């Protein structure tokens, strides 16, 4: 399968349009390729999903900037999509943030997300989070904005303060981060439709606002169309890919253990030729022949 990249817009250009950007979560080049073939132009590289799939561990701050950068570079080499990258806390202080931004920008990030949790962080829908002072986070955001080479590389500020300090404090932080000059805003783990609407009422007319849909998380699950109607401009489903794959693999391995063959799962699998068609193996072999490889 091929992916049409002829009319690719930057994410910055795309956010000037009226419709919301729907970005599925990916965690490697294969998931990115399949999402691109399904027609998605923007992807979300989830730090949690990198931890789940690369380390087989929970999202509690165990990944490194080097690991995230390497995964991102493989994805942007494979697909022409814009990628929103979860940069966690920036992996340290303001100077670490600058290195993180430079590394992720070189690897092809269209938007880099930075959050105000302490380091090491944890998943935004887990309890027990803590946040840094507003002044410290503002310094990190200004460092990020200074570090980027291109203004087409967008900086997304995320606050996790709602479950730590309450919604008023979270909105206060969001206002402060907006004043730093960031390009988009993410208030994590809003709990009710009313809180979703409050966030949009205060911020959606001034900056692109991101809605995070986590299956079984603290925020009510809604469609991108519903969230767009509320005022959100970016909608992500960051971990749905991993949850779907994990459920499917659990069934696959249980069946293989029971039946000692993959035959009962055959209808749910790609065969050898089907996988090679998805990957573009015939085109790659043809390219190799052009170079005598």
């Amino acid at each position: 399968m091929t992916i049409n990249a002829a009319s690719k817009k930057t994410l910055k250009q795309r956010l000037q349009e009226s419709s919301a950007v729907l970005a599925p979560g990916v965690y490697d080049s294969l998931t990115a390729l399949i999402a691109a073939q399904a027609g998605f132009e923007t992807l979300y590289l989830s730090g949690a999903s990198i931890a789940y799939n690369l380390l087989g561990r929970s999202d509690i701050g165990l990944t490194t900037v080097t690991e995230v950068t390497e995964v991102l570079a493989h994805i942007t080499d494979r697909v022409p999509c814009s990628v929103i990258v979860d940069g966690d806390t920036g992996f340290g202080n303001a100077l670490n943030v600058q290195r993180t931004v430079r590394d992720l920008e070189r690897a092809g990030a269209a938007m880099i997300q930075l959050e105000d949790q302490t380091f090491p962080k944890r998943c935004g829908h887990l309890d027990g989070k803590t946040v840094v002072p507003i002044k410290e986070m503002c310094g990190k955001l200004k460092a990020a904005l200074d570090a980027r080479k291109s203004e087409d590389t967008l900086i997304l500020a995320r606050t996790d303060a709602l479950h730590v300090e309450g919604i008023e404090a979270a909105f206060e932080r969001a206002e402060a981060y907006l004043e730093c000059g960031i390009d988009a805003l993410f208030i994590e783990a809003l709990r009710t439709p009313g809180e979703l609407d409050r966030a949009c009422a205060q911020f959606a007319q001034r900056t692109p606002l991101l809605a995070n849909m986590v299956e079984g998380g603290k925020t009510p699950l809604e469609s991108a169309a519903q969230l767009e109607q509320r005022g959100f401009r970016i909608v992500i489903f960051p971990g749905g890919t991993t949850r779907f794959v994990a459920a499917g693999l659990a069934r696959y391995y249980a069946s293989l253990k029971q039946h000692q063959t993959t035959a009962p799962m055959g209808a749910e699998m790609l065969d050898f030729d089907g996988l090679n068609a998805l990957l573009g193996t015939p085109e790659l072999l043809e390219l190799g022949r052009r170079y005598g490889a």
Side-chain angles (χ1 to χ4, degrees):
M1 295 184 183
T2 59
I3 304 166
N4 182 16
S7 60
K8 182 179 182 297
K9 301 175 183 176
T10 66
L11 183 57
K12 187 174 184 177
Q13 291 170 329
R14 176 64 179 82
L15 287 171
Q16 300 302 312
E17 300 177 4
S18 58
S19 59
V21 172
L22 172 59
V26 299
Y27 54 81
D28 62 10
S29 298
L30 180 60
T31 53
L33 177 64
I34 296 170
Q37 290 175 349
F40 287 99
E41 297 178 352
T42 304
L43 310 174
Y44 183 85
L45 178 56
S46 163
S49 290
I50 292 175
Y52 301 154
N53 292 278
L54 186 64
L55 306 180
R57 298 287 186 180
S58 305
D59 181 21
I60 54 171
L62 299 175
T63 56
T64 67
V65 65
T66 303
E67 290 166 338
V68 176
T69 302
E70 184 174 8
V71 173
L72 173 63
H74 285 307
I75 289 172
T76 56
D77 180 64
R78 187 64 184 92
V79 299
C81 304
S82 298
V83 183
I84 303 170
V85 184
D86 182 359
D88 285 342
T89 65
F91 301 94
N93 65 18
L95 297 180
N96 298 107
V97 165
Q98 290 205 314
R99 181 193 171 190
T100 295
V101 168
R102 288 193 293 264
D103 285 353
L104 295 178
E105 184 176 40
R106 280 196 300 268
M111 176 181 277
I112 300 168
Q113 174 190 310
L114 298 168
E115 66 195 51
D116 58 7
Q117 283 196 51
T118 55
F119 181 81
K121 56 75 57 85
R122 63 178 61 194
C123 173
H125 290 251
L126 289 175
D127 294 328
K129 298 182 292 183
T130 54
V131 292
V132 300
I134 294 177
K135 182 178 180 180
E136 180 180 341
M137 185 59 181
C138 286
K140 292 170 77 169
L141 292 174
K142 290 173 182 176
L145 292 165
D146 287 343
R148 64 183 177 182
K149 297 291 185 182
S150 169
E151 291 190 356
D152 284 334
T153 304
L154 306 180
I155 303 299
L156 167 66
R158 164 177 149 178
T159 180
D160 283 73
L162 193 151
H163 288 266
V164 181
E165 302 174 337
I167 193 167
E168 299 299 338
F171 284 8
E172 179 185 351
R173 284 173 172 268
E175 288 285 2
Y177 303 163
L178 196 54
E179 289 178 7
C180 293
I182 51 94
D183 302 294
L185 192 59
F186 175 5
I187 301 171
E188 174 65 298
L190 294 160
R191 298 163 292 191
T192 65
E195 288 186 351
L196 292 169
D197 286 338
R198 281 189 63 185
C200 288
Q202 186 160 337
F203 298 105
Q205 296 302 312
R206 292 182 287 154
T207 192
L209 198 59
L210 181 145
N212 181 22
M213 297 290 100
V214 177
E215 298 81 4
K218 297 182 183 296
T219 304
L221 204 65
E222 295 187 358
S223 70
Q226 290 172 304
L227 291 161
E228 178 187 309
Q229 190 171 23
R230 292 187 187 279
F232 288 96
R233 301 293 307 286
I234 308 169
V235 179
I236 61 172
F237 286 79
T241 304
T242 297
R243 279 182 271 279
F244 180 84
V245 169
L249 285 176
R251 290 188 297 104
Y252 169 83
Y253 287 124
S255 175
L256 181 57
K257 177 68 174 176
Q258 177 183 356
H259 300 288
Q260 306 292 294
T261 174
T262 59
M265 300 293 291
E268 299 181 50
M269 298 169 57
L270 293 175
D271 65 10
F272 182 79
D273 290 337
L275 180 59
N276 279 306
L278 183 150
L279 294 171
T281 303
E283 294 86 352
L284 192 62
L285 292 174
E286 177 59 30
L287 180 63
R289 283 191 285 271
R290 286 174 48 194
Y291 296 117

